[in-house]
């Protein structure tokens, strides 16, 4: 997967918080995997919902899009395989995010 | 707080995600707003009631108490009823937007939000709020003296008691009643009586501190809220209020008239039982009557049911 960069990383008002947010994403991917393994679908959905709401705001439109698909799948009670694929796609996306360099 | 002192515009964000808090703080920075944030509905409600912000950005999907319920409770509470609420929603379905608006929210923003849109919606809500505040302030001012009126004092007393309870900060209520006001009116006429009321209003305002709230409570009765003030400090302030009232002279047709007032003081630290606005006002009133009985132009305070004249006792 190609590296994902924030569209706001050149905005001086945003750089610091984009760095913080991006740096947390690998940890979020791990949480997603843990919730999936534990079968905690409620937590999985909550996390997907949060990533959907925050991703685009930090300039990562792809995070919002992929997180929205996972949330939708969980809401609809989709098959386990669909949820798994969707979660895997989200994790892959989160891990492709690049933490912007400090100023 | 005096009517003419501007305060910074404050926004409260209630959202269960810290990354959303940070994002909103960064995106609202160009607007010069003071932004605070809470992570769940219950803390958000408590914060709104004690801080009374100018605008609330409220997430719908909050843990335990959800955004709709927070909105409903904010609209029920007198102190927070008029704070505009913009819902932050992660969902795009019409149903939740309509439900939020029907509960009294002024607007909604869909997450992830566009920064320009967020700022525009915040500005629009604050514009309406400012106009509403201006109208409301007019309705809370006393026409004759320019002081706050009774409706305002009652409202602030309720709000300040909430703050006092939450932060353990003392609050003192001072009630004052002009001595022999009927005789002044009968002797010198009602126009002169009005001048006296205006003069007393000026004396009280001048000797109160910036954080004190001075109001005309009724005919010749005044009320002063001393926020964050314990009984010990309140004694000095109320004695200063009494002395400055007494020191002002009024010119009637053929004579110079001195007017005095009697004062009653009650502090949250010395009123027992539930600290309702009624209980505080009643305690201050009892102390005020004790001042009248003692010969007027003096200050009594309510101390755990006892009425004590000051400065004598201290």
């Amino acid at each position: 997967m190609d590296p994902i960069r924030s569209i706001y990383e050149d905005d001086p008002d945003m750089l610091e918080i984009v760095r913080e947010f991006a740096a947390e994403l690998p940890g979020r991917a791990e949480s997603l995997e843990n919730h999936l393994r534990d079968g905690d679908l409620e937590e999985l959905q909550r996390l997907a919902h949060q990533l959907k709401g925050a991703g685009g705001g930090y300039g990562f439109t792809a995070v919002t899009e992929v997180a929205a698909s996972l949330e939708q799948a969980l809401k609809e009670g989709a098959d386990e395989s669909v949820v798994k694929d969707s979660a895997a796609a989200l994790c892959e996306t989160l891990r492709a995010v690049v933490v912007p360099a400090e100023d | 707080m005096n009517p003419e002192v501007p305060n910074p515009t404050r926004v409260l964000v209630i959202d269960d995600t810290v990354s959303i808090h940070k994002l909103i703080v960064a995106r609202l920075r160009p607007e010069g707003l003071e932004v605070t944030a809470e992570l769940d509905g219950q803390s958000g409600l408590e914060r709104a009631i004690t801080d009374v912000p100018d605008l609330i950005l409220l997430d719908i999907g909050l843990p335990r108490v959800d955004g709709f319920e927070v909105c409903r409770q904010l609209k029920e509470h007198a102190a927070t009823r008029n704070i505009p609420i913009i819902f932050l929603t992660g969902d795009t379905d019409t149903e939740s937007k309509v439900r939020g608006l029907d509960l009294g929210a002024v607007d909604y923003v869909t997450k992830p939000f566009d920064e320009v849109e967020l700022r525009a919606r915040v500005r629009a809500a604050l514009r309406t709020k400012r106009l509403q505040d201006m109208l409301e302030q007019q309705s809370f001012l006393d026409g004759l003296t320019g002081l706050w009126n009774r409706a305002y004092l009652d409202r602030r007393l309720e709000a300040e008691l909430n703050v006092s309870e939450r932060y353990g900060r003392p609050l003192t209520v001072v009630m004052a009643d002009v001595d022999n006001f009927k005789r002044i009116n009968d002797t010198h006429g009602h126009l002169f009586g009005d001048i006296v009321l205006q003069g007393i209003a000026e004396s009280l305002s001048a000797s109160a501190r910036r954080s004190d709230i001075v109001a005309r409570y009724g005919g010749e009765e005044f009320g002063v809220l001393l926020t964050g003030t314990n009984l010990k400090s309140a004694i000095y302030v109320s004695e200063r209020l009494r002395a400055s009232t007494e020191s002002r002279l009024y010119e009637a047709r053929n004579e110079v008239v001195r007017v005095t007032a009697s004062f009653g003081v009650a502090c949250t630290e010395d009123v027992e039982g539930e600290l309702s606005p009624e209980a505080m006002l009643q305690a201050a009133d009892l102390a005020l009557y004790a001042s009248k009985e003692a010969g007027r132009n003096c200050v009594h305070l309510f101390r755990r049911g006892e009425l004590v004249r000051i400065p004598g006792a201290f």
Side-chain angles (χ1 to χ4, degrees), chain B residues 267-289:
Chain B
C267 175
T268 47
E269 289 176 346
D270 291 87
V271 174
E272 286 156 324
E274 200 204 338
L275 289 176
S276 63
E278 297 73 27
M280 291 299 296
L281 289 169
Q282 200 192 1
D285 261 343
L286 281 171
L288 167 57
Y289 288 130

Side-chain angles (χ1 to χ4, degrees), chain B residues 239-264:
Chain B
E239 174 53 25
R240 197 167 68 217
L241 295 173
R242 187 206 59 78
S244 87
T245 303
E246 184 187 23
S247 68
R248 186 178 280 255
L249 299 173
Y250 302 85
E251 263 180 68
R253 260 182 300 270
N254 297 315
E255 56 177 314
V256 173
V257 180
R258 186 182 293 280
V259 179
T260 61
S262 300
F263 290 75

